[in-house]
Amino acid sequence: MFAYWRQGFTVLVLVLAGSVWAPASRAGTEAAPIDTATIEKNRKANEACFACHSAAGIKNPPKADLDLANKLKDSRLEPALFNPADHGVMDCRQCHAGNHYDPYPHAEVGKNETAPCTECHAAKVMRLEPQFNASVHAKNEGLKEKFTCNTCHNAHENIVALRLKDPHKIVAQDNHGCLECHNSDLTFAKFAPDGEKTPGVKRKRPDIDTIHDWLPNTKLHWNAVRCVECHTPEVAAKKMLSHEILDKEKAEKKCVTCHSANSTLKVRLYRHMAKDEQQRLGFTNSVILSNSYVIGATRHPVLDGIVIGLVILTLAGMLAHGAIRIVAALRRKGNKEQAK
Amino acid sequence: MSERIYLLPLWIRVWHWTNVLLIITLVVTGISLHFADPKLPLVEFSLAARIHDIAGFSLVAVYGLFVIANIVSGNWWQYVPKPPGVLERCKVQGKWYLWGIFKGEPHPYRVSEEQNFNALQAISYWVIMYMIMPVMLLSGLIFQFPQLAPDRLFGFDGLLPVAIVHYLTGAAIVLFMIAHIYLGTTGKTATSMFGTMITGWHEH
Ligand code: HEM
């Protein structure tokens, strides 16, 4: 009897658990959300790595004569940056071939065993790989092999736009990904292919502000919109931004794409906030207005109506006044002639 | 038979027509910026922005010269409606515009070197030139250097109030301009006042 109940209870638990876990596992190849207990466990495990891989660790190494200041001088790893990031819930060893990194010195083989993005994001990679392959960087013969997902995506720091929310932060993060190369001769040279006419000599980096000198207030734009706003083809609302980076022929040059009531910014930078649109104080595109006043896009239909109405009224008033004057003058002239 | 007085010195006339050109340019390009839309036949956005910027700075310079010249020449006194009886004269003038003009009555006040504007003109010019214009120019300058505007204000971008002030003062100037041009036809003949602004000579 008791055994029967126990069996029944187990089945019940399994069924309940099944219904809870099914949606998560149905995501299949996609990275599943991680529960709080696991996050706690991962954070604890990562402390072992941060003992060296952090500013504090470099200053106070767990062992003497590790020479961390020199060996880790280019590292930006930091719990404060890693933990809030997209991958901050994970154990470092999920990407960095586990056992190779527990001891130090790390095993040489570990270097080649960083988990590729596909391992956990197969569906997304499949969707965006054709776009990625059509982009200027993948089509450039001398650049192709060096250009991967983590060239733009910092696996330790990036926060997806949806969670980042604040458009200024999204712009700063995403533009940093491009400007890291396009605004730095040092990094650019590491990736730049040889010039067509000058084999053996790296192509020079064109100055980013000079290229875009047709865009007034260039610096202001860099802080308010992303490179990908103009350098990717438009996609349907709610769809993920395209990964096809467009060359100078295809990039967006028309100002009214953003500077008009039907601004593309709604489906790009402000895509995640579109549902928050409440026409605050009656403004069109008021989600944008919380961060940027965009001439042509963030206007007030009622105010515009009043202004246009007043202009029409004034014009009509003047025309009517003029018409009465003419009629009155003609009348007077007629009267005078009669009087003669 | 007709009596002429030399009313407007050259500098006022040159200033006036420069002002007209710049303001019309600013209005046309300003409208193109504010109502930017691929479907409307307006000045192309980047061209409009460039022209508006140049004309804007020019207007600031021209306005600065206008203020200085007004102080130096004493012309500013013309803009001051002189008591006593300002209200009374405004009423008389208003009545003429609304009634007397249709009956062919003569202008209620005679233009003289000492008193170029009637009371209504003096007040409206004073409001436009010394109240609206400085606000318009200042908001334009802040628009030009957006870093001067507050970063955020009540949950909106700090440039919003600047833009609204700029837009509304611009609208006020447009309204003034329509009335101003029309009232320019109320001289002795429909064109005589425009003639005065070109030659400087006023015919009674
Ligand atoms: C009668 C004179 C003027 C009119 C009617 C006018 C009108 C306008 C309008 C309607 C806009 C669009 C703003 C919006 O959509 O909110 C604008 C933008 C702007 N205005 Fe003016 N404005 C005038 C004078 C000036 C002056 C004197 C300056 C500068 C010193 C100026 C500087 C600007 C700037 C910087 C912008 C932003 C766009 C750009 O950079 O071209 N404006 N103006």
Side-chain angles (χ1 to χ4, degrees), chain A residues 293 295-296, chain B residues 23 26-27 30-31 33-34 49 52-53 56-57 59-60 136-137 140-141 143-144 163 166-167 170 173:
Chain A
Y293 182 85
I295 298 172
Chain B
I23 289 187
L26 285 161
V27 168
I31 289 172
L33 291 169
H34 186 80
H52 196 90
D53 288 356
F57 276 127
L59 189 63
V60 170
M136 146 63 68
L137 298 174
L141 282 174
F143 226 143
Q144 196 73 247
H166 195 68
Y167 178 53
I173 289 176

Side-chain angles (χ1 to χ4, degrees), chain A residues 57-322:
Chain A
I58 292 170
K59 227 166 158 198
N60 288 316
K63 277 183 279 177
D65 64 277
L66 279 174
D67 195 17
L68 293 187
N70 183 34
K71 285 180 183 153
L72 296 177
K73 67 177 185 301
D74 293 331
S75 180
R76 278 163 48 92
L77 268 164
E78 200 54 58
L81 288 175
F82 181 81
N83 289 347
D86 289 331
H87 294 134
V89 291
M90 297 168 63
D91 186 327
C92 310
R93 292 165 300 182
Q94 282 178 265
C95 291
H96 293 294
N99 34 22
H100 299 308
Y101 283 100
D102 280 335
Y104 185 82
H106 304 315
E108 267 303 303
V109 286
K111 280 185 190 165
N112 305 321
E113 288 185 20
T114 314
C117 315
T118 0
E119 199 163 286
C120 308
H121 299 293
K124 279 197 176 120
V125 170
M126 204 140 84
R127 195 151 15 108
L128 56 81
E129 211 151 38
Q131 302 165 349
F132 176 76
N133 291 338
S135 75
V136 284
H137 300 110
K139 281 197 298 198
N140 191 316
E141 280 307 324
L143 191 56
K144 196 155 99 181
E145 311 83 57
K146 290 181 238 168
F147 221 86
T148 60
C149 307
N150 48 317
T151 312
C152 294
H153 288 278
N154 187 327
H156 304 142
E157 290 175 24
N158 271 24
I159 303 177
V160 72
L162 182 62
R163 283 207 299 127
L164 211 48
K165 285 230 157 58
D166 180 354
H168 278 308
K169 289 187 184 149
I170 300 174
V171 170
Q173 171 182 284
D174 288 355
N175 283 1
H176 176 77
C178 311
L179 291 174
E180 212 176 0
C181 285
H182 286 283
N183 212 20
S184 153
D185 286 322
L186 208 72
T187 328
F188 191 80
K190 283 193 208 145
F191 288 85
D194 292 350
E196 263 144 37
K197 299 198 192 72
T198 54
V201 180
K202 296 270 183 216
R203 227 173 280 174
K204 289 280 271 200
R205 181 185 68 90
D207 180 67
I208 206 75
D209 288 351
T210 316
I211 298 169
H212 300 93
D213 63 357
W214 45 270
L215 185 65
N217 303 59
T218 324
K219 290 248 165 19
L220 192 74
H221 280 97
W222 292 169
N223 289 327
V225 291
R226 297 173 299 177
C227 315
V228 288
E229 248 70 74
C230 300
H231 282 282
T232 60
E234 187 141 2
V235 293
K238 299 215 173 75
K239 276 275 175 61
M240 202 170 119
L241 191 110
S242 170
H243 269 69
E244 178 183 351
I245 307 293
L246 301 171
D247 64 14
K248 63 176 169 195
E249 311 303 332
K250 294 205 211 108
E252 186 58 67
K253 205 171 188 173
K254 284 195 296 297
C255 319
V256 284
T257 313
C258 295
H259 289 281
S260 63
N262 192 23
S263 179
T264 178
L265 288 171
K266 278 188 293 193
V267 292
R268 289 176 177 269
L269 182 55
Y270 291 84
R271 177 166 68 103
H272 306 297
M273 291 171 77
K275 60 178 183 321
D276 300 341
E277 171 69 299
Q278 295 161 340
Q279 300 256 317
R280 282 207 296 158
L281 301 184
F283 279 94
T284 318
N285 294 319
S286 66
V287 269
I288 302 179
L289 203 51
S290 54
N291 278 277
S292 287
Y293 182 85
V294 184
I295 298 172
T298 45
R299 1 173 165 152
H300 200 292
V302 177
L303 204 58
D304 286 349
I306 293 173
V307 166
I308 294 172
L310 282 176
V311 167
I312 291 173
L313 266 178
T314 314
L315 274 174
M318 296 301 132
L319 281 176
H321 194 275

